[in-house]
Amino acid sequence: MSFETGSAAPVVAPPSAPRTVGRWALGAFLVFAGVSHLTFARSEFLAQVPGWVPLDPDTVVLVSGVMEISLGGALIVLPGQRVQVGWLVAAFFVAVFPGNISQLLTHTDAFGLDSDRARAVRLVFQPLLVVWALWSTGAWAAWRSGKAQSTRA
C-alpha cells in the first residue's frame, strides 16, 4: 500500500498473486456455501440456527445464503473494492460465530459435526476465516498502513 503525496487517503497497492488466489478461493467457497444454504444443505443449516435468534430459522438460512453468495461474488468481481469487501466478509464471519458457539453448547449435529470435539475444532477455524478474508483482500495491510500514516502525521 502506498499513499499519494498530500493525500490522507491510502492508495491500495495491487495485490500479490497468492492474495489474489486466496481471495478468489474464498469467494468461490462463499458462493458455494451460499448456494448450499438455498438448495441441497438447507436442512443442515436450519439445524444450526440458534433458538434464541428472534427470526424464522428458514428466513435466517435464506438471508445468510444470499449474503454469502453476494459477498463471495463481490470478492471475485470487485477487485477494486477488495479492501472494503474484505472487512465486510470478516464481519460476516464474526456475526455467524455465535451460531457456531451455540451449536457446540446445544450439542446440535449438522454437517457431520456429531461430537463436541468436532464442533469445538470447528470453532478454532472460524477465526482463520476472518484472517483469510483480511489477508487475501489486503484489508489488514491497508488498515495497518493507514494507522502507521496517522501516527507519522
Side-chain angles (χ1 to χ4, degrees):
M1 171 173 276
S2 61
F3 292 88
E4 293 177 0
T5 306
S7 173
V11 176
V12 179
S16 66
R19 284 186 179 183
T20 298
V21 170
R23 181 173 46 85
W24 289 349
L26 183 57
F29 166 77
L30 282 168
V31 169
F32 176 79
V35 169
S36 69
H37 273 71
L38 307 179
T39 59
F40 63 90
R42 194 160 167 180
S43 63
E44 294 283 337
F45 284 107
L46 280 169
Q48 292 183 300
V49 178
W52 47 262
V53 173
L55 299 169
D56 173 61
D58 197 47
T59 301
V60 172
V61 169
L62 293 174
V63 169
S64 62
V66 169
M67 289 294 301
E68 285 181 328
I69 293 167
S70 300
L71 291 169
L75 283 169
I76 295 167
V77 303
L78 298 175
Q81 301 297 315
R82 68 185 181 280
V83 169
Q84 294 88 340
V85 174
W87 285 111
L88 289 174
V89 171
F92 177 80
F93 288 140
V94 170
V96 300
F97 193 59
N100 296 338
I101 294 170
S102 175
Q103 185 180 6
L104 172 65
L105 297 177
T106 60
H107 314 286
T108 303
D109 295 347
F111 296 107
L113 302 174
D114 57 2
S115 71
D116 286 345
R117 179 182 176 149
R119 290 183 281 270
V121 168
R122 178 188 187 195
L123 292 180
V124 172
F125 286 98
Q126 193 75 15
L128 295 178
L129 290 172
V130 173
V131 170
W132 185 3
L134 296 177
W135 170 80
S136 69
T137 60
W140 184 255
W143 179 77
R144 289 189 52 166
S145 287
K147 188 174 177 182
Q149 178 70 15
S150 68
T151 59
R152 284 185 243 143

